Amino acid sequence: MNNKSTNIPTILVILGATGDLMKKKIVPSIYHLQQHRRLPDKFRVVGMARRPLTAVAFRAQVQEDLTARIQGADNKSVPEFGALFHYYQGNFVDRPSWEGMKKLLEQIDAEWGVCTNKLFYLAVPPEHFAVIFKQMAAVGLNRPCGGERGWTRMLIEKPFGEDRRSAQKLFTLLNDFFADEQLYLIDHYLAKEIIQGIRHFRFSNNLFARAWDRNTIERIELRLLETIGAEGRGVFYDSVGALRDVGQNHLLQMLAAITMDEPRAGSAAAIRARRGEILETLRPWSAVALKAGTARAQYEGYRNISGVKPDSTVETYCKVKTELLHPAWRGVPIILETGKRVHAAKKEVIVTLKHPARCSACAPGRHAHNRVVFSLAPEDRITIHFWTKAPGFEKRLEERAFNFFLYEHEAKLPYVEEYAELLFNCLIGEQSMFVSEREVEAQWRFTDPITRAWEKDTVPLLTYKPDTDEAIQATITLGQWAEVKELPKELAIIGLGKMGGGMARRMLEQGWRVVGYNRSPEAVNELVKEGLAPADTLEGLIKQLPKKKIIWLMVPAGKTVDEILFGASGLLTYLKPGDVVIDGGNSFYKDTIARAKKLRRRGVCLLDVGTSGGPAGARRGACLMIGGREEDFKAVESLFRDFALPDGYQFFSGSGAGHFVKMIHNGIEYGMMQALGEGFAILQKAKFNLDLTRVADIYNHGSVIESRLVGWLKDAFALYGEDLGSISGTIKHSGEGLWTVKTAREMKLAVKVIDEALRFRIHSEKHPSYTGQIVSSLRGQFGGHAVGKGKG
């Protein structure tokens, strides 16, 4: 190290220095750092264990382990490397042992004339953690000297607990003795080049930056499959199983890398926060989902391994199907798969993109999905699968693959480079490759319900022959999804007023064929110029639609809806089972429930959609609150995705649920507008001669009440003047506010603000006011409602 801020005398203390971790990972990794000149000029390793060894014998063992692990190690460098190592015999539970360790470290400090950096590496089972932390604290080894020099850090290997409760106890213990910046929790997959590569592939390039979410990605598969078994690890493996050994940590960290939002900054805190945020959106488990979405198996002969219980029910293979509830990923199937003793090793992440809705050049009869594959083995590689024309005269497509290798083809020792990377990052104080408490908490929250269900045998334990794909084949239905049948981009819109007309224009721009019907022909004729297919009657409208019909109603609530649906020549006369009607108006939710039942008896689906955003939202992207049956919603979800703002729609199960949510939305809107009206009435009457346009402007720049409503009020002032003299102080009111108040009373709930806002509107019919002018101006701005004339 040549950097002055990192080239500081450092002591690495390895607790459990005679175990396999030391031999297989730590020693080769330190050697790798030394060969690449990544260690401080003054660096020493102190190994602590109970075994009686001399310093000479310990160094000899280190050198023997190194030459056995790294073939061709330089004969000259090996003894020099061994000289870095010192041995201290001690017992973790013994206070004098720790007092002796402290004295030894102080002697090295004195020798180098500086308070050294001290890195403690816990290469011991988790059951020793508590006593180690307490004994270290008792003698003051948990406290750093402070400042840039003399830090004290802890390197801790997974597992971080055996479930969420034990993990919480571990972190409570750690937090009692160490600050967060001292803790470096190892999941070595975070140091793998391909995992780091995923983040840079996504956020350092524009290639997929705008196409990396539910709108373009159909599914994500993550798998870590090994040909090796649990031999030699029987005692440990039988205490955890495949899910807790690999799924709870490595697979979920891979998933976080693939799906997390771009960090707000490049700092470790920002990166770890993003990983934690996305893992917290994993869908919670229900009893039904656990049965349908998880599978487990054990290979034959596993119970004969030394250390494994004869009647063990621990899984050596598992598969989990889940999804993220994050708005960018909701509805995208995610498959997590891991197992031992399978036919072929596969360590990869496969991101499958959706097939384009229209693909004029696609091969006939072939669903040509593009895929991005991130491979961890046998080499670190990113592969993009795409389609292009085959050379020659024929118009024939063929699949091609663009491969990018992170390394030249060369043999690499497992774990060495990853652990070297981790050690180096710990030395320089970079925590982004280490797991945070928040991530661990989210991981256990996801996996605990699975393990509990398996312990109760809710999901049967399958068996499979080792070195085969029997387990994969037996659980293949878990990872299957129906071939996506793209929804024909055709719909009818009935009601082409301000809202319906705006929607028609937006859907035409989104590539949809729109058939339109309106009682007055003027609106239809205007839209025909922009591509609308006109219909003079409901029967004529139906005849222009494909076999599966989608009809969106954007008409006033009440009798008009019933007439269109159930009248003598209404839609029900022509609709067939499987057709979908969408009520996008502000219908009363109880009416919607009754209509859904009536339509369902004829096999017709009704979805109720509360549509917010006014005419501008209908034109440029609305906010949609959707109710009905989930299977009906999923069948036409692409319609809502194209109509709504990005992330601007949500489904709520149950007929009437969408209209109910919108009804309450409008009730809240009454109260918010009333508060603005009353507040600005006070401002207008004040003695300060306030510029209300500037007041609205400042309110809308970072204040607590910053909102679209305040912005619209500023626009109204600019349009009509601050006295709003041309606007009536009488406020019209629609049914939603009244419905909200009546519903609350039925529930025996007090809604004083909304109730008073409704009463004010009724009162304003005979008693207009400036407050009424404010509210009227707002209604005019966002909804295009008539604002009347005259001063309040």
Side-chain angles (χ1 to χ4, degrees):
M1 286 189 184
N2 295 320
N3 190 319
K4 291 182 179 180
S5 66
T6 54
N7 189 19
I8 300 169
T10 301
I11 307 170
L12 170 60
V13 180
I14 302 172
L15 307 177
T18 56
D20 280 350
L21 187 64
M22 176 79 166
K23 179 187 303 185
K24 295 178 180 179
K25 299 175 182 178
I26 299 175
V27 166
S29 300
I30 298 172
Y31 181 77
H32 185 84
L33 289 175
Q34 187 199 49
Q35 294 303 295
H36 287 79
R37 302 187 65 183
R38 289 294 184 270
L39 294 177
D41 293 339
K42 290 185 176 182
F43 181 78
R44 190 166 297 179
V45 182
V46 176
M48 177 179 179
R50 290 179 299 177
R51 188 181 304 176
L53 283 174
T54 64
V56 173
F58 181 63
R59 291 192 190 102
Q61 184 63 58
V62 166
Q63 293 174 205
E64 182 182 329
D65 293 341
L66 178 65
T67 52
R69 187 77 173 152
I70 299 183
Q71 302 296 324
D74 183 359
N75 290 334
K76 180 182 178 182
S77 67
V78 171
E80 293 176 355
F81 177 72
L84 297 176
F85 288 77
H86 298 259
Y87 187 73
Y88 177 77
Q89 182 185 352
N91 192 319
F92 299 141
V93 302
D94 183 24
R95 176 70 61 82
S97 293
W98 288 100
E99 290 170 347
M101 169 63 76
K102 183 179 183 182
K103 186 176 181 181
L104 173 60
L105 298 179
E106 288 173 345
Q107 288 174 351
I108 300 173
D109 286 357
E111 176 187 340
W112 286 343
V114 64
C115 179
T116 60
N117 295 333
K118 297 175 182 66
L119 174 57
F120 291 85
Y121 195 132
L122 271 68
V124 297
E127 57 263 28
H128 296 301
F129 287 179
V131 69
I132 289 174
F133 299 152
K134 290 175 182 177
Q135 295 289 8
M136 286 180 66
V139 298
L141 285 176
N142 62 326
R143 294 192 297 272
C145 299
E148 191 176 77
R149 295 169 179 258
W151 49 250
T152 295
R153 294 171 183 159
M154 299 291 296
L155 261 174
I156 305 171
E157 288 274 352
K158 77 170 186 70
F160 310 118
E162 56 187 24
D163 55 19
R164 186 181 175 193
R165 181 176 295 179
S166 59
Q168 288 172 334
K169 288 182 179 178
L170 170 63
F171 283 107
T172 298
L173 187 67
L174 284 168
N175 294 332
D176 283 343
F177 301 113
F178 302 96
D180 182 67
E181 60 267 22
Q182 291 181 275
L183 299 175
Y184 289 73
L185 278 60
I186 295 175
D187 180 338
H188 71 270
Y189 264 66
L190 286 174
K192 286 185 176 293
E193 288 292 343
I194 194 67
I195 304 302
Q196 299 175 60
I198 289 172
R199 180 161 62 88
H200 292 289
F201 175 86
R202 290 184 55 202
F203 302 132
S204 301
N205 304 290
N206 288 328
L207 184 61
F208 290 105
R210 295 186 179 181
W212 205 261
D213 58 24
R214 60 181 296 185
N215 293 314
T216 51
I217 291 175
E218 182 169 290
R219 61 183 181 267
I220 301 171
E221 300 161 84
L222 306 98
R223 55 178 58 97
L224 294 175
L225 300 172
E226 300 178 296
T227 56
I228 61 172
E231 289 77 6
R233 302 177 67 213
V235 173
F236 169 75
Y237 197 85
D238 205 46
S239 68
V240 291
L243 180 65
R244 286 189 287 185
D245 184 42
V246 172
Q248 180 268 343
N249 36 73
H250 302 335
L251 280 175
L252 291 182
Q253 285 295 342
M254 291 162 63
L255 176 62
I258 283 289
T259 58
M260 72 180 190
D261 288 338
E262 184 172 5
R264 297 183 183 91
S267 66
I271 294 167
R272 301 201 315 170
R274 286 303 197 198
R275 293 200 304 254
E277 286 170 8
I278 196 67
L279 292 175
E280 287 171 345
T281 69
L282 282 160
R283 178 179 285 281
W285 290 104
S286 66
V288 173
L290 283 165
K291 280 188 177 182
T294 70
R296 60 184 181 133
Q298 184 187 95
Y299 67 79
E300 296 173 2
Y302 168 76
R303 295 175 182 176
N304 298 326
I305 294 173
S306 176
V308 173
K309 298 174 184 176
D311 58 349
S312 174
T313 58
V314 165
E315 79 285 351
T316 57
Y317 168 90
C318 65
K319 184 184 289 185
V320 173
K321 185 175 183 178
T322 186
E323 69 171 303
L324 296 163
L325 298 183
H326 188 287
W329 297 104
R330 183 186 291 270
V332 176
I334 295 167
I335 294 293
L336 308 170
E337 184 180 24
T338 184
K340 291 186 171 296
R341 292 296 296 271
V342 299
H343 173 66
K346 288 184 179 179
K347 298 184 177 183
E348 61 188 7
V349 180
I350 302 176
V351 178
T352 301
L353 278 67
K354 291 181 177 179
H355 186 267
R358 294 183 181 180
C359 184
S360 59
C362 289
R366 299 187 69 177
H367 204 61
H369 290 282
N370 300 121
R371 290 176 296 141
V372 182
V373 182
F374 301 89
S375 300
L376 289 80
E379 61 240 330
D380 292 313
R381 178 181 64 197
I382 299 173
T383 304
I384 301 174
H385 295 262
F386 62 98
W387 292 80
T388 187
K389 181 185 176 296
F393 296 102
E394 293 81 9
K395 293 182 179 180
R396 180 173 60 85
L397 287 179
E398 64 179 8
E399 188 176 16
R400 294 285 188 90
F402 174 78
N403 287 295
F404 172 69
F405 295 91
L406 297 187
Y407 288 101
E408 295 297 326
H409 292 275
E410 62 179 23
K412 293 195 302 176
L413 280 174
Y415 304 114
V416 171
E417 292 187 10
E418 290 99 321
Y419 271 79
E421 185 95 10
L422 290 167
L423 281 169
F424 177 72
N425 275 271
C426 189
L427 290 173
I428 64 173
E430 170 55 60
Q431 286 184 301
S432 62
M433 289 186 191
F434 298 88
V435 186
S436 67
E437 180 178 354
R438 182 178 183 179
E439 294 166 80
V440 174
E441 173 91 4
Q443 290 167 341
W444 284 122
R445 189 184 301 116
F446 176 72
T447 53
D448 277 356
I450 305 174
T451 54
R452 285 197 295 266
W454 290 355
E455 287 168 1
K456 295 175 181 177
D457 208 30
T458 302
V459 177
L461 179 68
L462 308 176
T463 60
Y464 63 99
K465 292 180 181 177
D467 311 320
T468 70
D469 287 335
E470 279 188 0
I472 297 169
Q473 293 301 318
T475 60
I476 198 166
T477 55
L478 186 65
Q480 287 179 337
W481 26 81
E483 189 71 8
V484 174
K485 294 180 180 178
E486 292 297 329
L487 182 68
K489 300 186 81 166
E490 298 184 56
L491 85 156
I493 300 177
I494 297 175
L496 297 170
K498 286 178 288 191
M499 292 294 290
M503 178 185 179
R505 289 182 172 89
R506 177 168 176 82
M507 299 313 289
L508 286 167
E509 290 175 355
Q510 295 284 74
W512 285 71
R513 178 176 175 268
V514 180
V515 183
Y517 171 83
N518 198 68
R519 284 182 173 176
S520 58
E522 293 81 12
V524 177
N525 296 336
E526 188 66 29
L527 283 162
V528 166
K529 301 173 186 177
E530 301 180 43
L532 182 88
D536 296 328
T537 63
L538 293 180
E539 182 181 9
L541 176 135
I542 293 294
K543 287 181 177 179
Q544 294 190 59
L545 293 175
K547 185 176 180 181
K548 183 179 176 67
K549 297 167 179 60
I550 304 171
I551 302 102
W552 189 298
L553 307 184
M554 197 64 91
V555 298
K559 292 181 180 179
T560 306
V561 177
D562 286 324
E563 184 181 337
I564 289 173
L565 288 175
F566 308 119
S569 299
L571 288 174
L572 199 55
T573 309
Y574 313 107
L575 295 176
K576 295 180 179 179
D579 291 340
V580 179
V581 175
I582 301 169
D583 183 359
N586 287 324
S587 291
F588 184 41
Y589 77 99
K590 289 185 179 180
D591 294 340
T592 301
I593 294 171
R595 290 170 186 147
K597 288 179 180 177
K598 194 170 181 179
L599 288 170
R600 199 173 299 135
R601 286 196 287 268
R602 295 282 294 273
V604 177
C605 312
L606 178 66
L607 292 168
D608 50 287
V609 180
T611 308
S612 184
R619 183 68 183 85
R620 294 188 288 272
C623 169
L624 306 178
M625 306 153 215
I626 306 160
R629 296 189 304 182
E630 187 167 10
E631 58 266 33
D632 299 334
F633 159 72
K634 286 188 176 295
V636 296
E637 184 177 1
S638 62
L639 164 61
F640 301 124
R641 187 182 302 124
D642 284 350
F643 180 33
L645 286 166
D647 302 327
Y649 70 93
Q650 290 284 358
F651 172 76
F652 305 94
S653 182
S655 293
H659 281 154
F660 185 84
V661 172
K662 177 59 163 52
M663 178 184 76
I664 303 305
H665 163 281
N666 284 21
I668 294 169
E669 177 187 295
Y670 270 45
M672 293 173 68
M673 290 168 64
Q674 183 69 22
L676 283 173
E678 292 174 4
F680 273 81
I682 298 170
L683 290 165
Q684 192 248 6
K685 199 170 183 179
K687 296 180 179 179
F688 291 104
N689 192 26
L690 297 170
D691 182 334
L692 298 189
T693 305
R694 291 173 57 220
V695 172
D697 182 64
I698 192 59
Y699 281 174
N700 223 33
H701 283 83
S703 82
V704 173
I705 63 168
E706 179 181 7
S707 65
R708 297 177 75 186
L709 283 172
V710 175
W712 282 320
L713 181 56
K714 178 189 171 186
D715 293 342
F717 285 143
L719 185 62
Y720 301 110
E722 292 182 7
D723 66 349
L724 301 174
S726 61
I727 294 177
S728 172
T730 296
I731 317 162
K732 301 293 184 181
H733 59 91
S734 53
E736 297 92 328
L738 180 60
W739 296 338
T740 301
V741 172
K742 285 185 175 180
T743 300
R745 287 173 182 166
E746 289 172 5
M747 296 177 173
K748 297 182 179 179
L749 295 172
V751 284
K752 294 181 179 179
V753 172
I754 300 172
D755 192 3
E756 286 298 323
L758 174 62
R759 290 175 185 273
F760 180 88
R761 293 191 179 199
I762 296 170
H763 183 73
S764 74
E765 293 175 6
K766 295 182 179 180
H767 304 279
S769 64
Y770 186 75
T771 299
Q773 288 179 285
I774 293 282
V775 177
S776 290
S777 70
L778 286 170
R779 295 182 78 245
Q781 286 297 303
F782 71 76
H785 302 291
V787 295
K789 292 182 179 179
K791 194 170 178 66

